[in-house]
Amino acid sequence: MMERAESCQKLYTRLRLWEFPDEYVIEPTDGSSASSLKINRADASMKLIDAIPECSSVRVPKIQTIFGVVGMLKLVAGSYLIVITERECVGSYLGHPIFKVMSLRILPCDHSLKTSSPEQKKVESEFAGLLKVAEKTCGLFFSYDTNLTLSAQRLNDLGDESKLLPLWRQAEPRFLWNNYMLEVLIDNKLDPYLLPVVQGSFHNFQAAIGKEIVDITLIARRCTRRNGTRMWRRGADPDGYVANFVETEQIVQMNGFTASFVQVRGSMPFLWEQIVDLTYKPKFEIVKPEEAPRVAERHFLDLRKKYGSVLAIDLVNTTGGEGRLSEKFASAVQPILSDDLRYIHFDFHKICGHVHFERLSILYDQIADFLDKNGYLLLNDKGEKMKEQLGVVRTNCIDCLDRTNVTQSMIGRKMLELQLRRIGVFAAEETISSHTNLDEKYKILWANHGDDVSIQYSGTPALKGDFVRYGKRTVQGILNDFYNALGRYYFNNFSDGTKQDAIDLLQGHYIVSVSRDMTPPSQKGGLEAVAHFPAAFCLVSLGLFFTILSLSQARYDLRHLFFSALWATISIGIAAVVKANGRIFCNRPRLHKPRR
């Protein structure tokens, strides 16, 4: 416990990190006459000090400027402090500067490893490797002055007492990315060091409408409850928290008015999964189908408590594996449909195909009454609430990325037009498309937003992004989609398993226990011991390449048909073997237990 707590609640905006051989010292250098924080590198104990320790020839510190403390993680034998070493100001949120994390650094407090057993050192090395992956986490944003985890409406609704609390105590836990990592600092009452961080996206721009300037911001907040990567996090958990749940807020500021509109996306809210097995599109498996109604009910009850009325838009196909999931979704929500919960299925691919996205107007006609009834937040120049948002649109496809982003951008565009008419900037029939500068910037805003969310979940930019960015499908966009689809396939199979472990470690979904049996997983023999997943991928790709090459030569020499069949058989054989052993190749044994 700390010897003395700081009375000032303002966060430190710039700090100096002193790295001594036996301790770290973090000194505020933003003009505040505050105590420094000392962290022991052996046991990670903390205390506030009034003076920097003396340097000597044997205690020569390394000195570095940092911009915030993200938190601390305890592993098997050591603890690890995470700090922000580079930041970039990316805009403002309701008048407050917003920064993007450009670089993180992991500082080990692991000197106790010197007395640890060889097995503990080995396991510690495994986890330290995961932290190296976590160090590259993208899409992290923060503010020293306002709570980025809360929408404008929720910020406006905060009571006077809540506004006096430290930012971390005001924060919405679902969107506080470093919630678990802050626990040690919270226990030590270090409020001025407790920097709330969100993962998602932040973009804004200004454009002219006649003589007026409109400021538009788009924010994505990723939920941490079932955070993860594509394929490795699907569906919901038994408590109703879904994979890839993202709150998207569009904010408009103009002529003293502030308007906000919130949408959400998330995986279908029942237990289902896709087991990575080297196939391009693994089979969808519904787990415990009898539990689907209960899980869906918990999910939508939580949404209604937080957002009011809910309109669920399901964009998946009606046929194949997607069709089975859609049928289960529809049957699961059927018993709980009410005036506050509506469900609409819109087969995006069947109706819009790959190029006719303008047919989303059919969907808009079906939901316009909900949007009109539940509205958006509108504040006047005095900060008084003139209108509030009473419900939310929840959109999903399979990944909640590509079809979802196209649909959400359409809804956001329609709502922006309604807001500008309400403010008095647009005439009754005026649209964004009639203002070229605004239209182009708005498309880019949503395209960048979709890419950010997609990269965090799948490893690549969004598909169908050319329509969002340019308002039409292009040949280059289709080629980019093919390239990104291959990229997703690679990441899903070769790197997302390790990345998922790193996410689970940071989020506290898996807790390391020193007392746990540290016996390493048993070694597999035979094929499992030598199989290497990326190598298998290369062999299959090479086989397919020679198959196509031989086929192209078959018209000149029929012997090439034989070689085509041979290469195709080899490729299929390798793929079949890898598929049968897919989970062995890509899912290394976990050494940590789920958090209770």
Side-chain angles (χ1 to χ4, degrees), residues 78-97:
S79 295
Y80 297 79
L81 186 69
I82 305 172
V83 299
I84 298 170
T85 54
E86 292 182 50
R87 70 182 182 190
E88 178 184 344
C89 186
V90 292
S92 64
Y93 179 54
L94 303 175
H96 302 287

Side-chain angles (χ1 to χ4, degrees), residues 201-332:
S201 174
F202 185 95
H203 296 280
N204 68 355
F205 72 87
Q206 290 185 336
I209 302 178
K211 296 181 179 180
E212 308 291 344
I213 299 296
V214 60
D215 187 297
I216 300 176
T217 301
L218 197 59
I219 306 172
R221 304 176 179 96
R222 293 194 75 192
C223 181
T224 62
R225 297 290 170 79
R226 190 166 169 74
N227 200 359
T229 59
R230 181 177 179 262
M231 300 290 188
W232 296 84
R233 279 292 182 271
R234 292 297 206 189
D237 65 15
D239 294 321
Y241 297 118
V242 296
N244 204 23
F245 185 88
V246 181
E247 178 183 277
T248 295
E249 181 181 18
Q250 179 177 280
I251 300 173
V252 182
Q253 293 176 288
M254 190 171 191
N255 292 345
F257 290 92
T258 299
S260 163
F261 177 67
V262 170
Q263 303 181 68
V264 297
R265 67 177 77 187
S267 193
M268 285 177 274
F270 52 91
L271 308 179
W272 65 277
E273 62 185 10
Q274 278 183 288
I275 303 299
V276 177
D277 61 4
L278 197 62
T279 57
Y280 177 73
K281 194 172 184 179
K283 291 181 179 179
F284 302 111
E285 298 291 341
I286 299 175
V287 182
K288 298 181 180 178
E290 71 281 359
E291 288 286 297
R294 183 190 64 81
V295 174
E297 183 177 17
R298 296 192 70 166
H299 174 74
F300 283 107
L301 178 62
D302 183 60
L303 284 188
R304 287 159 68 184
K305 285 181 179 179
K306 290 181 169 65
Y307 298 101
S309 299
V310 179
L311 170 61
I313 300 176
D314 182 13
L315 300 173
V316 303
N317 301 343
T318 53
T319 57
E322 288 193 13
R324 289 193 301 109
L325 292 179
S326 183
E327 289 175 7
K328 176 57 67 176
F329 189 6
S331 64

Side-chain angles (χ1 to χ4, degrees), residues 68-72 82-84 104 177-178 181-182 193 195 197:
V69 178
V70 171
M72 178 173 280
I82 305 172
V83 299
I84 298 170
L104 292 174
W177 178 78
N178 56 333
M181 291 175 275
L182 287 177
Y193 289 93
L195 180 65
V197 177

Side-chain angles (χ1 to χ4, degrees), residues 34-105:
S35 299
S36 299
L37 175 63
K38 184 173 77 170
I39 303 154
N40 190 296
R41 295 183 66 166
D43 60 9
S45 60
M46 303 178 182
K47 74 174 183 177
L48 293 173
I49 57 175
D50 292 323
I52 302 298
E54 291 186 6
C55 305
S56 66
S57 58
V58 294
R59 278 175 52 84
V60 179
K62 296 179 182 178
I63 302 174
Q64 179 180 11
T65 296
I66 63 174
F67 301 98
V69 178
V70 171
M72 178 173 280
L73 283 174
K74 183 172 180 57
L75 300 185
V76 175
S79 295
Y80 297 79
L81 186 69
I82 305 172
V83 299
I84 298 170
T85 54
E86 292 182 50
R87 70 182 182 190
E88 178 184 344
C89 186
V90 292
S92 64
Y93 179 54
L94 303 175
H96 302 287
I98 302 300
F99 296 91
K100 182 178 183 179
V101 175
M102 303 306 293
S103 178
L104 292 174
R105 187 178 171 202

Side-chain angles (χ1 to χ4, degrees), residues 28 71 126 135 143 200 242 258 272 303 343 361 372 377 442 489 508 513 515 519 535 559-560 589:
E126 281 264 346
E135 205 171 30
S143 171
V242 296
T258 299
W272 65 277
L303 284 188
Y343 169 85
S361 60
D372 183 62
L377 172 72
Y442 187 77
Y489 173 77
S513 172
S515 62
T519 303
R559 286 180 299 177
H560 286 288

